[in-house]
Amino acid sequence: MVKMSIGAAISETFAFLKANWVQMLMWIGGTIVVLGILGYLMLGSTLASMAMAPNDPSAMMGAMSRIFLFAIIAAVILYAVGMLIWRGGLHPGESPNIGWAFQAGPAFALATMVVMFAAYILVIVISLVLALLFGAALGGAGAFSPGALQSGAVGGGVLFVLVAYYIAILVFFVWLQSRLSVAGPVMAERLTRNPVTGITESWKLTSASQWLSVLFYILLVIASVVYSLIAGMIFSGIIGALAGGGSGVGAMLAMIVMGLVVYLPMLTVSLSVPVGIYRANTRGTT
C-alpha cells in the first residue's frame, strides 16, 4: 500500500491541471454559462415573485421546489462534466464519452449523497445520545440551550467539551470526504458506471494516508476561502453594477461573471485534487 505525501499530492494536482487546463476551462466555462442561463430561465421569475410576496407560503414552497429541481439538474451536469475531465486527463487523446459520463456522473453523485446522508444520521444519533447522557448529569437537556450557555450556567469544562465535539464532527466529515476523494477518478480510469466500485477502491487506496489526505483537504479549504474572499472584494463592484437596476439580463450576466471569475478557478483546482490524490496514492503500483 502506497502512502502519499502532501508534496506529491500537490505536485500531481498541479501537473494534472497544467496538462488539462484548456480542456477544463472549455468544459467548466461552458457549463457555468449554460447553468447561468438555465438558472435565469428557471429561477428568474421565481425569485422575483418571492421578493414581491415574501410572506406567501405558496410562493415560498413553489420557489423551493424550483430551486431544488435546478440544484439536481446542476449536480447532474457538473458531475458528468467532472467525469469527462477525469477520463480525458487520465486517457489523453480519447474521444469524450458523453453517454457514459451522464450515467456515471449522476450515479456517483447519488452514491456520495447516500453515504453523506448516512453519516449525518449517525452524527445526529450520537449527538442525541450524548445530549441525553450529559444532560441528565447536568440537570436536563435544557443545560445545553442557548440561554443556559449565554447565562454562564454551563461551566468552562462543558463548553470545552462542546467545542471539541463540534470540531470532531467537522474533522469526521473532512476525513470521510478524503476517503471518498478518489472514487470519481477510479470510475473514470476503469470507465465504469458502478459507484460502489469507485467508493470501495477509494477506501482502499486512501487507507494508508488518510490523515495526510485530511490535512491536504483542510489546507485546500483554507486556500479556497482566502481566494474567494479576495476575488469577491476585487470583483464585487463589477458584479454589483451588472446585477443592479433590477434587470433580469443583468442578474444573469452577474451570475455568469461571478462563476467565471470566482468559481471557475476553484472548480478547476477542486477537480484536479482527486486525480492528484489518486496518482499520489498509486505511484509505483500496477
Side-chain angles (χ1 to χ4, degrees):
M1 188 71 66
V2 176
K3 185 173 183 178
M4 78 168 199
S5 67
I6 292 180
I10 294 175
S11 176
E12 294 288 357
T13 294
F14 285 97
F16 182 83
L17 180 59
K18 181 180 178 181
N20 300 279
W21 68 272
V22 175
Q23 293 85 345
M24 294 175 77
L25 288 179
M26 291 174 58
W27 280 112
I28 301 175
T31 300
I32 288 174
V33 172
V34 169
L35 290 179
I37 297 172
L38 184 62
Y40 168 70
L41 295 175
M42 292 184 63
L43 304 177
S45 60
T46 300
L47 297 177
S49 63
M50 284 179 61
M52 294 176 61
N55 297 321
D56 185 355
S58 60
M60 182 66 68
M61 291 298 295
M64 293 303 297
S65 63
R66 293 181 70 86
I67 291 172
F68 182 70
L69 177 60
F70 173 73
I72 292 176
I73 295 173
V76 168
I77 295 174
L78 286 171
Y79 272 89
V81 168
M83 285 293 175
L84 287 169
I85 290 172
W86 289 330
R87 181 67 186 181
L90 292 170
H91 294 271
E94 184 178 275
S95 299
N97 192 334
I98 296 177
W100 163 80
F102 272 88
Q103 296 175 60
F108 176 47
L110 179 60
T112 302
M113 286 190 293
V114 169
V115 173
M116 288 298 181
F117 181 75
Y120 277 116
I121 295 298
L122 176 63
V123 168
I124 289 172
V125 170
I126 293 174
S127 300
L128 288 174
V129 171
L130 292 177
L132 290 173
L133 292 175
F134 284 96
L138 295 172
F144 297 105
S145 66
L149 294 174
Q150 293 175 2
S151 65
V154 177
V158 176
L159 287 176
F160 175 79
V161 171
L162 287 174
V163 171
Y165 179 65
Y166 286 126
I167 293 174
I169 291 175
L170 293 175
V171 172
F172 166 71
F173 280 108
V174 174
W175 171 81
L176 183 59
Q177 176 63 36
S178 71
R179 298 303 304 272
L180 304 176
S181 59
V182 302
V186 168
M187 292 177 67
E189 176 70 40
R190 301 185 181 186
L191 205 63
T192 179
R193 300 172 179 84
N194 185 359
V196 177
T197 299
I199 290 173
T200 54
E201 190 64 22
S202 177
W203 203 267
K204 294 177 184 176
L205 288 173
T206 57
S207 62
S209 53
Q210 49 190 292
W211 295 113
L212 286 174
S213 299
V214 169
L215 179 58
F216 184 43
Y217 266 97
I218 291 174
L219 294 174
L220 178 66
V221 169
I222 293 172
S224 299
V225 170
V226 171
Y227 171 77
S228 61
L229 288 174
I230 295 175
M233 288 188 293
I234 293 174
F235 296 100
S236 59
I238 299 173
I239 294 169
L242 289 172
S247 170
V249 176
M252 180 186 71
L253 289 175
M255 290 173 59
I256 293 174
V257 171
M258 174 68 81
L260 292 175
V261 171
V262 178
Y263 298 115
L264 178 58
M266 294 173 64
L267 282 171
T268 56
V269 174
S270 64
L271 284 171
S272 301
V273 166
V275 178
I277 296 176
Y278 175 65
R279 286 177 167 172
N281 277 290
T282 55
R283 288 175 303 148
T285 63
T286 56

